[in-house]
Amino acid sequence: MDAVLALGANLGDAAATVQQAVRQLGQTPGIEVTGVSPVARTRAVGGPAGQPDYLNLVVTVATRLSPKELLAAGQGIEQAHHRTRDVRWGPRTLDIDVITYGDLRSDDPVLTLPHPRAHTRAFVLAPWSWLDPEAVLSGARVADLAGQADDAGSVTRLPSAEDGHGDEVNEHGETGEADETAAGPSV
């Protein structure tokens, strides 16, 4: 089954954390990382005031895990990065959300699918649209939803290895040095 996961962090070394989390997802039995979006820097949405900015990205996976097993795998990775759940929408070392699981719709309180707030959050939608410009969520183009989200103005795409800057995690969960001769715009 194909699924979309959103990752975010705003405590500690957020860049290293999200990169490690992608790698850990790819190393989890039953999960194959098939795509990794560019990283976005975003303001915190909701929760306590004064939080540091988040680094967010989206990964697509092919999985043999059930939706709840996929959620549990993500929560296990969160726990490995010392995630706590003290304050709703508070700062965190790592957050991994299951956004979609194929076309499955579920109102299960443990895992609602598609994610109940994803369609309003540019910090999920923008990176997803960068990874897959044709992506659709509940019948609407993800790129269109990203532009309409209340937090659309807070999303900044960070330079990636494809732009000729920095390290990036590939679809196999591996990092590689950027080719400094690569041409491409920094956005």
Side-chain angles (χ1 to χ4, degrees), residues 28-54:
T28 301
I31 299 175
E32 177 189 351
V33 175
T34 57
V36 180
S37 77
V39 176
R41 179 178 309 280
T42 65
R43 289 191 307 262
V45 173
Q51 292 187 56
D53 286 349
Y54 275 83

Side-chain angles (χ1 to χ4, degrees), residues 38-41 130-131 155-160 162-163 185-187:
V39 176
R41 179 178 309 280
W130 301 334
L131 176 61
V155 178
T156 303
R157 181 176 174 164
L158 299 182
S160 68
E162 290 178 357
D163 300 328
S186 294
V187 179

Side-chain angles (χ1 to χ4, degrees), residues 67-158:
K68 287 184 180 175
E69 289 171 333
L70 183 59
L71 176 66
Q75 289 175 339
I77 294 168
E78 288 176 346
Q79 290 172 352
H81 290 275
H82 311 290
R83 165 73 190 269
T84 61
R85 297 178 186 277
D86 300 329
V87 177
R88 184 173 183 174
W89 297 328
R92 58 201 71 172
T93 57
L94 180 63
D95 185 37
I96 301 177
D97 288 328
V98 178
I99 304 301
T100 64
Y101 185 91
D103 293 328
L104 182 65
R105 294 193 163 284
S106 169
D107 290 327
D108 185 320
V110 174
L111 179 58
T112 303
L113 292 168
H115 188 286
R117 291 171 298 282
H119 69 284
T120 65
R121 295 188 166 169
F123 66 83
V124 171
L125 299 163
W128 186 5
S129 72
W130 301 334
L131 176 61
D132 182 359
E134 302 305 316
V136 174
L137 176 62
S138 299
R141 284 187 63 237
V142 168
D144 294 339
L145 292 170
Q148 298 165 5
D150 289 342
D151 63 326
S154 77
V155 178
T156 303
R157 181 176 174 164
L158 299 182

